[in-house]
Amino acid sequence: MDDNDRKIIAYIQADGRASYAEIGAAAGLSVSAVNERLKKLQASGAVTGFGARVSPAAVGLHVLAFVHVLLERPEHDAGFRAAMQGTPAVQECHHVTGEWSYLLKVRVPTTADLERFLSDRLKTLPGVVRSHTVIALSSPKETPLLPVE
């Protein structure tokens, strides 16, 4: 990945609806060069897709929680990961260092929904020994943009 690719990625992260001409003007490339580079960036997996950023509150997801999860044994990892993949409320699932096995980012409409997720979904999974939940009161900074330049 060279500087031109990084310029393209930075631009489309900020404006995924930009035309190839706009991207090219920002990166100093022709429309055909932008088209070719974007195809290569997608094929390599550097660019994984395009989509809208939606306000969680606008779609009724008012509660943001971070949940640490401890699994009993590594044999439970595959099942746990599969369960998290199939749980829409879990936006992110990270295998972490330290005393916990995983860190989850969870969005739900209400604290009652969070309680149901914890009690009926998470704590019923095989191998889950305990969890620790922190509810975010506000999010002064939250961005999907990566610092590529």
Side-chain angles (χ1 to χ4, degrees), residues 17 51 83 112-113 120 126 146:
R17 295 178 54 150
D113 293 305
D120 301 344
L146 299 175

Side-chain angles (χ1 to χ4, degrees), residues 19-71:
S19 69
Y20 286 1
E22 292 169 315
I23 299 167
L29 299 169
S30 68
V31 170
S32 60
V34 170
N35 181 39
E36 183 179 322
R37 284 176 178 267
L38 272 172
K39 284 181 183 178
K40 287 180 181 177
L41 288 166
Q42 288 174 306
S44 73
V47 174
T48 59
F50 295 87
R53 290 189 285 260
V54 178
S55 162
V59 294
L61 299 174
H62 300 287
V63 177
L64 168 61
F66 296 93
V67 182
H68 286 98
V69 180
L70 179 63
L71 296 185

Side-chain angles (χ1 to χ4, degrees), residues 5 20 27 31 36 40-41 43 53 55 59 71 73 81 86 88 95 100-101 106 123-124 132 142 149:
D5 290 334
Y20 286 1
V31 170
E36 183 179 322
K40 287 180 181 177
L41 288 166
R53 290 189 285 260
S55 162
V59 294
L71 296 185
R73 292 187 308 275
R81 289 178 189 210
H95 191 210
W100 299 99
S101 306
V106 179
K123 293 182 179 182
T124 62
H132 175 80
E142 186 174 9
E149 287 192 291

